[in-house]
Amino acid sequence: MVCLSYKVWRNGNRHRQRQLLLPRGDAARTSLATERTASFNPATVRTTGGTPASGCLGNPSNTLAQLCAISAVLYYKLVQPLQYPMPNAQFKMKSDSQTPFNLEASTFSHIPVLRREVIEDLAVHPGGHYLDATVGGGGHSRLILEAAENVYLTAIDQDEDALIAAQKYLAEYGERVQFVHSNFATYKFPPSTFDGIIADLGVSSYHLDTPERGFSFRHAANLDMRMDQRQSLTAADVINEWDEGELADIFFKYGEERLSRRIARRIVERRPLLTTVALAEAIASAVPPKYRYGRIHPATRVFQALRIVVNDELKSLETLIEQAPNALVPGGKIAIISFHSLEDRLVKHGLRNSPLLRVLTKKPITAQDEEIVNNARSRSAKLRIAERKE
Ligand SMILES: C[S@@+](CC[C@H](N)C(=O)[O-])C[C@H]1O[C@@H](n2cnc3c(N)ncnc32)[C@H](O)[C@@H]1O
């Protein structure tokens, strides 16, 4: 790592002095782009040259620090100010099903949310058979398997990386766990089979933290966002091929983005947009400054909308709520954890309207402060539970 000092200028006034730790090589450019995307408009940045700071991480070599600093100056002065150009060759990702991502190199990390609440409310009993419709890294599955003697589990995930990770994590349970690589919407639910079903919706921390998967504007990567890498539609296809009106509609509907029209217009002007950071920059450039420096990054809602569309998340959830109740034994419970209001609304109404279910949670169960401190992701988690009628 090397350290670069620079000043950020806004409206002709020096806004703040910043220091940036830069990894070596291409990653340095990535870091700069991410930093730009995350916190300020690059058009207002004047780099004052690199000042290798003492006491930086990794005991940096001054020569390397200066080289990075100089390239950063050249970058801001010479490269087009808002667009972050990334030649495709540099960003070839192992993101198709023929070349699965190497999990040895990147560990699957995900802390299960509402663990105590899920286990208590599912009332796991010895010898029971449970379904984890979203096994992910296997966190909730393991809790279920450990909650009582001789529990059997069917574990589904549409993401092959997740299944590989879960297989390893749950290997000690041997034949008691059966893994299924499938979307839960296309899974053939066997009637009256499970004593409990859990679905912990959305993406895992692994998805967000693994740049190659293209879910997050925190990392430079191809715009991908597919949970199931066997499917062909990617976020790049949506962004570069859909009409301006269609883009505006999905940003509004699935991202609840008020500025959907102007963002869609800017995206169409800037196409092709092939990377997460290029898209995030285009979005940031389309919104007023107040919005740009607000509580959340201005690209957050659009990224949520894109992810929902690429993975057809709401339709899949509807199908799950329609099909899953019949797979429960009488008295069996279904627990669904959602992370945004669109999902929660579907879960709330879907469980309530199912003729087979009795809802056990009038209000959704949410995380306690202690959990939120340890796992920020739990802040928006909402758990709803229902039971199959006799
Ligand atoms: C939030 S993570 C689950 C984490 C898991 N509960 C744990 O404790 O490790 C959600 C997982 O569900 C998967 N997933 C999301 N939608 C799915 C769907 N429609 N069908 C199957 N898997 C899905 C994702 O690939 C991801 O691995």
Side-chain angles (χ1 to χ4, degrees):
M1 301 285 263
V2 291
C3 190
L4 170 71
S5 293
Y6 58 94
K7 291 173 181 143
V8 181
W9 297 76
R10 201 179 282 165
N11 304 328
N13 300 318
R14 195 179 78 178
H15 182 57
R16 53 193 153 162
Q17 175 89 26
R18 298 188 70 125
Q19 289 195 332
L20 193 57
L21 287 171
L22 300 171
R24 293 182 168 89
D26 287 345
R29 290 173 12 109
T30 302
S31 244
L32 281 168
T34 310
E35 175 75 356
R36 285 190 315 148
T37 308
S39 50
F40 54 82
N41 179 348
T44 64
V45 172
R46 286 186 221 154
T47 319
T48 58
T51 316
S54 55
C56 286
L57 278 183
N59 196 14
S61 111
N62 279 358
T63 320
L64 190 54
Q66 276 158 359
L67 274 176
C68 264
I70 291 163
S71 58
V73 173
L74 289 175
Y75 176 81
Y76 280 125
K77 297 248 185 241
L78 300 179
V79 177
Q80 66 185 90
L82 283 168
Q83 187 86 350
Y84 182 59
M86 287 195 279
N88 275 343
Q90 238 184 300
F91 277 86
K92 281 226 169 89
M93 300 299 171
K94 292 175 185 169
S95 62
D96 57 49
S97 54
Q98 288 151 8
T99 51
F101 187 72
N102 181 2
L103 281 166
E104 301 295 338
S106 160
T107 48
F108 196 108
S109 101
H110 184 91
I111 309 172
V113 299
L114 298 168
R115 32 197 303 156
R116 184 180 49 77
E117 294 82 350
V118 165
I119 297 308
E120 274 177 20
D121 292 325
L122 276 181
V124 179
H125 62 77
H129 187 182
Y130 294 83
L131 173 72
D132 187 342
T134 54
V135 68
H140 285 114
S141 285
R142 193 182 188 102
L143 294 168
I144 292 170
L145 287 156
E146 282 176 357
E149 293 282 303
N150 223 14
V151 166
Y152 287 79
L153 184 95
T154 298
I156 302 178
D157 207 294
Q158 62 177 331
D159 184 332
E160 195 180 18
D161 290 353
L163 274 184
I164 294 170
Q167 267 163 352
K168 267 194 188 165
Y169 188 56
L170 304 173
E172 69 192 84
Y173 301 98
E175 305 274 287
R176 285 205 271 136
V177 188
Q178 197 204 347
F179 295 92
V180 183
H181 187 194
S182 168
N183 189 311
F184 53 60
T186 51
Y187 175 66
K188 299 268 168 284
F189 286 90
S192 306
T193 301
F194 301 113
D195 297 283
I197 297 176
I198 171 157
D200 174 18
L201 302 171
V203 286
S204 61
S205 307
Y206 166 79
H207 286 128
L208 298 172
D209 295 341
T210 305
E212 289 82 352
R213 303 302 298 267
F215 280 99
S216 166
F217 48 78
R218 284 188 285 123
H219 312 284
N222 285 339
L223 266 177
D224 189 323
M225 298 196 190
R226 292 170 300 166
M227 287 190 223
D228 184 344
Q229 292 172 311
R230 297 168 300 184
Q231 87 172 39
S232 66
L233 183 74
T234 65
D237 296 334
V238 175
I239 284 295
N240 293 299
E241 288 167 24
W242 288 24
D243 293 346
E244 185 180 319
E246 285 176 307
L247 290 178
D249 287 349
I250 61 165
F251 299 159
F252 185 73
K253 192 165 165 200
Y254 301 126
E256 302 181 282
E257 173 56 75
R258 285 186 297 114
L259 303 174
S260 57
R261 303 226 162 267
R262 59 201 281 181
I263 292 173
R265 196 175 321 125
R266 177 58 50 86
I267 286 172
V268 169
E269 282 163 15
R270 291 252 179 121
R271 292 201 293 211
L273 291 166
L274 301 176
T275 66
T276 48
V277 287
L279 175 60
E281 285 173 8
I283 296 165
S285 75
V287 303
K290 192 174 116 228
Y291 207 71
R292 209 175 301 153
Y293 305 110
R295 195 177 54 81
I296 59 166
H297 188 281
T300 306
R301 293 191 181 87
V302 169
F303 270 62
Q304 173 184 302
L306 265 178
R307 202 197 83 194
I308 290 176
V309 167
V310 168
N311 297 291
D312 205 4
E313 290 180 32
L314 298 182
K315 187 85 200 68
S316 296
L317 177 57
E318 265 174 26
T319 310
L320 173 78
I321 299 171
E322 256 168 52
Q323 305 280 322
N326 191 42
L328 287 168
V329 297
K333 309 221 170 41
I334 179 165
I336 304 185
I337 305 173
S338 64
F339 290 87
H340 55 79
S341 54
L342 298 168
E343 278 176 350
D344 183 52
R345 217 171 297 150
L346 273 182
V347 177
K348 179 177 165 184
H349 295 295
L351 296 182
R352 187 197 287 160
N353 296 337
S354 168
L356 295 179
L357 297 176
R358 178 182 314 112
V359 175
L360 302 178
T361 44
K362 222 170 175 187
K363 292 241 159 68
I365 298 169
T366 54
Q368 306 282 312
D369 292 348
E370 194 189 334
E371 179 174 2
I372 294 172
V373 169
N374 294 318
N375 181 7
R377 191 172 171 273
S378 65
R379 183 188 303 276
S380 41
K382 289 200 170 125
L383 167 65
R384 293 187 186 268
I385 301 179
E387 175 180 52
R388 180 157 180 186
K389 295 175 189 164
E390 295 303 319

